[in-house]
Amino acid sequence: MRRIIPCILSCLLGVTLQLSAQQDILKFDKTVHDFGQVLLGSGPISCSFTATNVSSTSQSIQSVSTSCGCTAVKWDHKEIAPGGKTVITATYTNDEGAYPFDKTLTVTLTSGRRPVVLHLRGVCRKEFKPDEEVYTFSLGGGLGLMEGSLKAVNVEQGSSKGEQVTVANMSSKPLKLGFADVSEGLSLELVPNPVPAHSHATLYYTIAAREGLWGKNWYYATPVVDGKKNAEGRISVSAFTSISFSNMTREEKAGAARPVFAESTLSFGHKKAGSVIKGNFVCENKGAATLKVYKVDCDTPGLKCGTFPELAPGAKASFPITFDTSSLPKGEALIILSLTTNSPLRPIVTLFLAGWID
């Protein structure tokens, strides 16, 4: 159990940090390059990202750090005038093995603004598979995705964030893709559209954070191919929405709310399957402003949370939970709660229930 929790905390911290990424200084033509299928042993593969200075002052890139030594990067150190462009080129060695990869480039500006994270993605294989074996989620008519649940998006309230995936046309004719019954806040665009026969296209999807919608939420759309709705199901994308602190000064952040929990993990020991667990997380607001928790998320069924009260500076309160273990298999159990708060120091607080189901 002790080994599991640090790993999960590390992943959640990465999500939290990426919530702050923004492109209000440099606007990139894309933040993801998908190589699709790559043959192992075929040698290094390269791509480029073009950035435009959309600010009113000259900018320059201070550094571009990579997630591992398998990715090399080049960029121009010269200043970029307002409206000017620059190109970042990345090369992946493609010698790590036959499995999916997602390599990141973290772009930092000399102005000290928050970094932008770029991705190099793909699937390395010992031998190429036909599209029919790769793009197994049918959109209808011969169009397919690798999976119907698209990569999650992290977005700040009042802004939008997007991702992209590849769509394959496995038919012998061009196909036009549209969408019906699209959830509010979700927008989709396919390029090119129609998709040429036996070819690929890029599906761009964007989540615009809706006012009053916090934490994790799901968005859906029904594919429509050449005017016919897909009968095999919708595509879905999850998004995690947090408050934006980008306009707060350092002094305002220092004087904001600061939640401190007595314990972040509630251990329930050994329990029989079907047992109901009750407990409390105790929180104190050690900040100088009122603490608000906008939403509590948990993907494990059977968990019920009490109301998290607003806490004045210096105030302390218990946060009650009740958990029915009926849905859990026997063995080690770890349940994760994510709290979306108004604290710039802890915009997402992660709590755990841990134990063993007999």
Side-chain angles (χ1 to χ4, degrees):
M1 184 68 66
R2 291 179 179 176
R3 292 193 300 269
I4 295 174
I5 292 177
C7 294
I8 295 176
L9 281 171
S10 176
C11 294
L12 290 169
L13 178 60
V15 171
T16 302
L17 292 176
Q18 288 192 44
L19 291 173
S20 298
Q22 56 185 354
Q23 297 185 58
D24 56 350
I25 300 297
L26 292 185
K27 184 175 183 180
F28 285 82
D29 61 337
K30 58 187 174 182
T31 56
V32 177
H33 183 91
D34 188 349
F35 288 101
Q37 292 192 78
V38 176
L39 190 62
L40 181 64
S42 60
I45 50 178
S46 299
C47 66
S48 62
F49 299 86
T50 300
T52 303
N53 181 2
V54 295
S55 72
S56 58
T57 59
S58 294
Q59 303 290 331
S60 58
I61 296 175
Q62 176 177 308
S63 65
V64 182
S65 57
T66 62
S67 55
C68 72
C70 60
T71 309
V73 64
K74 294 181 180 179
W75 76 94
D76 195 337
H77 292 72
K78 296 179 182 178
E79 284 196 348
I80 314 162
K85 299 180 183 292
T86 192
V87 176
I88 297 174
T89 303
T91 301
Y92 170 52
T93 55
N94 185 30
D95 59 0
E96 294 187 302
Y99 48 74
F101 61 88
D102 187 346
K103 308 300 177 181
T104 60
L105 312 177
T106 302
V107 183
T108 304
L109 304 182
T110 53
S111 61
R113 299 302 293 267
R114 293 168 180 159
V116 174
V117 180
L118 310 175
H119 293 262
L120 283 67
R121 293 178 183 155
V123 179
C124 187
R125 302 186 188 278
K126 292 182 179 180
E127 58 183 21
F128 284 117
K129 291 185 177 181
D131 282 348
E132 287 77 7
E133 294 183 22
V134 177
Y135 299 91
T136 55
F137 182 85
S138 175
L139 299 174
L143 293 182
L145 290 169
M146 287 188 180
E147 54 185 349
S149 182
L150 306 183
K151 188 175 178 65
V153 173
N154 300 309
V155 61
E156 292 180 344
Q157 191 66 252
S159 65
S160 60
K161 184 77 176 291
E163 283 280 356
Q164 63 190 65
V165 292
T166 300
V167 173
N169 181 357
M170 295 163 281
S171 75
S172 57
K173 64 177 183 178
L175 293 172
K176 186 173 180 62
L177 176 64
F179 293 95
D181 309 317
V182 180
S183 297
E184 183 181 354
L186 171 64
S187 58
L188 308 104
E189 180 184 9
L190 185 69
V191 180
N193 196 13
V195 187
H198 301 297
S199 185
H200 300 97
T202 301
L203 176 62
Y204 299 91
Y205 59 97
T206 302
I207 298 294
R210 293 159 52 194
E211 185 176 351
L213 201 62
W214 301 101
K216 185 176 181 179
N217 295 280
W218 285 92
Y219 299 76
Y220 302 94
T222 301
V224 180
V225 179
D226 283 350
K228 185 177 180 180
K229 275 190 177 184
N230 182 25
E232 298 185 38
R234 305 176 293 177
I235 61 172
S236 61
V237 55
S238 62
F240 198 99
T241 302
S242 69
I243 193 170
S244 173
F245 303 103
S246 57
N247 293 325
M248 292 182 70
T249 65
R250 182 176 299 179
E251 292 75 18
E252 287 173 333
K253 291 179 180 179
R258 183 163 68 93
V260 177
F261 283 80
E263 299 287 345
S264 61
T265 301
L266 178 62
S267 297
F268 56 82
H270 285 256
K271 295 290 184 182
K272 291 184 178 180
S275 298
V276 176
I277 298 166
K278 295 184 178 182
N280 292 279
F281 290 99
V282 179
C283 179
E284 182 179 358
N285 180 10
K286 293 191 175 183
T290 299
L291 171 66
K292 298 180 181 180
V293 174
Y294 297 112
K295 188 180 180 186
V296 179
D297 283 295
C298 180
D299 288 337
T300 304
L303 182 73
K304 295 182 179 180
C305 302
T307 302
F308 198 106
E310 293 188 4
L311 288 182
K316 183 184 294 187
S318 293
F319 174 48
I321 61 96
T322 301
F323 180 57
D324 184 343
T325 63
S326 299
S327 64
L328 293 183
K330 291 184 178 181
E332 193 174 42
L334 182 65
I335 297 92
I336 304 170
L337 292 79
S338 298
L339 282 61
T340 305
T341 82
N342 68 333
S343 170
L345 297 177
R346 301 193 68 186
I348 301 172
V349 176
T350 307
L351 304 175
F352 302 92
L353 297 178
W356 194 275
I357 306 299
D358 296 323

